[in-house]
Amino acid sequence: MTELDSIVDAARAARAAFAQASTPAELENAKAQFTGKSGRITELMKGMGALSVEEKKTRGAAINQAKQAIEAALNARRQALAEAELELQLKAEALDVSLPGRMREPGGLHPVTLTLERIERIFASMGFDVADGPEVESDWHSFTSLNNPPNHPARSMQDTFYVDIKGDDGIPYNLRPHTSPMQVRYAHQHIKKHAELVKSGQAMPEIRVIAPGRTYRVDNDATHSPMFHQCEGLWLGENVSFKDLKVVFTEFCRRFFETDDLALRFRPSFFPFTEPSAEIDIQFAGGPLAGRWLEVAGSGQVHPNVVRNMGLDPEKSIGFAFGMGPDRLTMLRYGVNDLRLFFDGDIRFLRQFR
Ligand code: PHE
């Protein structure tokens, strides 16, 4: 190999070594083999002292060319490695811009809230007031005023939640197990509100009210939740009868379920605060539940003892009360088969009612 050949060879070898380097550190090591203190180019220059001027010129020019070629190759490789690294990083941190963003979806009302609003609208259109009352209730309002005898099983700890606060009677308050205490509460408010009118000799307007709200019982399965909803209804006048209850409740059901193809059945039952008492069942003519009797409410003529506890004369104030389950009505209306779905807060379920 001539001297010139070995110079050209050094440049070729450098290019090959650089191409093999796969990281910046490897590349810098390879560079030292050629342009470093004991690198090949340095070695080539060392032998130049003994050469003639003419030879120095040609050799010098050749070495310079080789050096430039090596540097160019080095820079090209440096850039290639840097680009490869960037490429890798970009791949690792890849963003899929075709994914939909995490947007804030518009909210909606809970299906049971939709039902409560629907109930309120329908009854309001039939002249019923809408009343609200406490969920932590006195023993007198939840039980005694409603003609429950002292040892009635509904009072038991197995059925009713009690709180650590005692009323004036020494009996702990309860989480109301039904909305029926609103019958007596509302009657008292009503009498107070119209006291002036009555004093001036005018007749007191009829009591016509619904009271929707939360209720509590020691119960938990697919059709019972420890917290659930009820809606109480009360209509008391001079001569309000079961016939009126039937008319009002039939009208309500037809409008609530948006169908006239629906039958009602009053099935004899017992409640301490109504006499006679009946469960109200409905039956759809069509749809998935066609032909089945479905219980939707308890009802009855308000018991004279309850009317007395309202501060009214049972000979003059006669009428009916009912208590229905808005959760159940929601399940029937939307075809929901598990009550617990209403309380799980699963957005995939709730979204369907938006
Ligand atoms: N309070 C009763 C219950 O919770 C329902 C009811 C209300 C029955 C009004 C008659 C009259 O089961």
Side-chain angles (χ1 to χ4, degrees), residues 177-180 183 217 230 232-233 271 273-274 298-300 321-323:
H178 52 180
T179 44
S180 298
Q183 291 184 31
R217 273 181 215 178
Q230 276 201 350
E232 198 74 8
F271 298 102
F273 34 92
T274 47
S299 67
F322 59 81

Side-chain angles (χ1 to χ4, degrees), residues 146 177-181 183 215 217 228 230-234 270-274 276-279 295 297-302 320-324:
L146 294 169
H178 52 180
T179 44
S180 298
Q183 291 184 31
T215 45
R217 273 181 215 178
F228 59 106
Q230 276 201 350
C231 181
E232 198 74 8
L234 176 68
F270 173 79
F271 298 102
F273 34 92
T274 47
S277 305
E279 304 278 356
E295 188 184 316
S299 67
Q301 181 167 341
V302 182
F320 63 78
F322 59 81
M324 59 179 163

Side-chain angles (χ1 to χ4, degrees), residues 239-256:
N239 199 11
V240 180
S241 71
F242 243 90
K243 180 193 73 190
D244 300 297
L245 168 60
K246 197 164 181 178
V247 167
V248 163
F249 213 83
T250 304
E251 175 69 6
F252 164 72
C253 289
R254 287 184 174 167
R255 283 168 64 182
F256 184 83

